Amino acid sequence: MPEIEAIRAFAETSPAAVAVLAGPSHRVLYLNPAFGAICVEDPESLLCRPAAEAIPELAVGGFLATLDRVRTSGQPYRATARSLPVGRPGRVFDAEVSAIRGRDGTLCGVLVQLRDVTEAEARLHRAEAAAAVLDAVFEHAPVGLAVAAEPESRSIRVSRHGLGMAGREPAELLAGLVSHRPAGWGIFHRDGETPARPEELPLVRALHQGEAVSRQHWVLRGEDGTARRVQCTAAPVRDGAGRIAGGLLAWGEPWDPGERPLPPSTPAIGPWSKPARWRSGPRRRMAA
């Protein structure tokens, strides 16, 4: 099969495991170094032997039948994250099988390419597990939680309890937590009278200065004047290179027996009149 030389030209240095098989029995004509590295036997000893005998692992899960279909039909086969017992146990591969045609156009063999994606799949599963934990925390934690996805604060996620405490929709919370234009409500210093400047807010400090802010007391006041005290903690979220990738804000009812009452002009502390409307479903990101 003269086509092998053309295949060898790219396959010798390819990180993918490449095999060339010929005929109805899929005789092994060529294995590149990457394929040889995952074989139990000496790759040279596998040449010219039927695939079912040389690489019996390919018979698992109907892969040999897939080779038959590609060889007879000429239609390529592709699969992502397919488990094949080739090499170390538990490995997962992206598999691609293509028909090889001779110079006269007749089908004469198949080209098998296996790309090891085991580590990538493991990272994906860990990320999915972490996301499931985060979903549960944001759904059930008895505190307000908000996560801004990047320093520019273009997206945010707010916990169910946080929405209930603030009595606002996520977009409104985003405006109040990280922007210069609070949407119908305000944040005040502990005295309940001094408005907070945007750069003073805990989440802004975490996002832009990388500052961790612990247990700061603030007063939230709604359009109707009702207000409540909250205690806030914020911290930056950093990526693997140490850059600020986002920020986390947690808030809840403060517990301070010595806290003086809010100014007489401020109505009694209590929940705001506008209820939060919660819709169940997948994680939500709100764009600013």
Side-chain angles (χ1 to χ4, degrees):
M1 187 185 294
E3 292 77 11
I4 289 183
E5 292 308 314
I7 294 170
R8 188 191 301 271
F10 82 85
E12 283 294 302
T13 57
S14 173
V18 178
V20 175
L21 312 175
S25 63
H26 306 297
R27 287 181 299 108
V28 179
L29 297 189
Y30 169 74
L31 299 175
N32 77 334
F35 208 117
I38 64 175
C39 291
V40 176
E41 298 184 40
D42 177 10
E44 291 295 327
S45 69
L46 305 180
L47 297 179
C48 298
R49 294 165 58 185
E53 175 188 323
I55 316 171
E57 297 90 347
L58 295 181
V60 176
F63 198 73
L64 284 179
T66 298
L67 299 180
D68 289 336
R69 285 195 299 273
V70 173
R71 191 189 70 82
T72 56
S73 70
Q75 297 298 313
Y77 165 85
R78 294 179 179 85
T80 58
R82 176 161 181 169
S83 178
L84 290 172
V86 179
R88 298 196 305 274
R91 309 308 287 176
V92 179
F93 299 89
D94 283 352
E96 182 174 348
V97 183
S98 306
I100 299 175
R101 294 181 181 273
R103 291 175 180 172
D104 60 356
T106 59
L107 297 170
C108 57
V110 293
L111 173 68
V112 178
Q113 299 181 74
L114 303 177
R115 295 174 178 84
D116 192 333
V117 294
T118 306
E119 295 304 321
E121 282 296 301
R123 288 193 296 270
L124 177 61
H125 290 318
R126 289 194 295 269
E128 290 174 343
V133 171
L134 190 63
D135 284 343
V137 169
F138 270 71
E139 178 74 11
H140 302 294
V143 294
L145 294 171
V147 174
E150 65 277 310
E152 290 77 14
S153 312
R154 287 193 297 263
S155 59
I156 199 166
R157 185 179 181 191
V158 182
S159 67
R160 175 194 286 267
H161 193 80
L163 293 176
M165 289 180 67
R168 289 294 182 267
E169 293 294 314
E172 295 177 303
L173 272 176
L174 172 60
L177 292 173
V178 296
S179 82
H180 294 257
R181 297 174 287 99
W185 61 291
I187 305 176
F188 295 80
H189 282 270
R190 192 167 186 160
D191 61 10
E193 297 178 331
T194 307
R197 299 191 305 274
E199 64 271 16
E200 295 178 313
L201 299 179
L203 185 55
V204 174
R205 291 163 62 184
L207 285 166
H208 295 282
Q209 280 78 49
E211 189 177 349
V213 180
S214 179
R215 302 178 66 182
Q216 281 199 344
H217 287 218
W218 299 87
V219 173
L220 306 183
R221 184 178 297 164
E223 292 173 313
D224 60 358
T226 56
R228 68 190 307 164
R229 294 190 186 278
V230 294
Q231 179 175 280
C232 298
T233 293
V237 176
R238 298 184 183 273
D239 61 20
R243 296 182 294 264
I244 298 174
L248 170 67
L249 174 70
W251 72 93
E253 302 286 353
W255 187 86
D256 188 348
E259 186 71 70
R260 69 182 182 85
L262 290 171
S265 60
T266 304
I269 299 174
W272 292 345
S273 58
K274 181 180 178 181
R277 297 186 297 278
W278 177 266
R279 292 182 294 273
S280 61
R283 292 174 288 164
R284 303 187 311 285
R285 289 193 181 280
M286 303 302 300

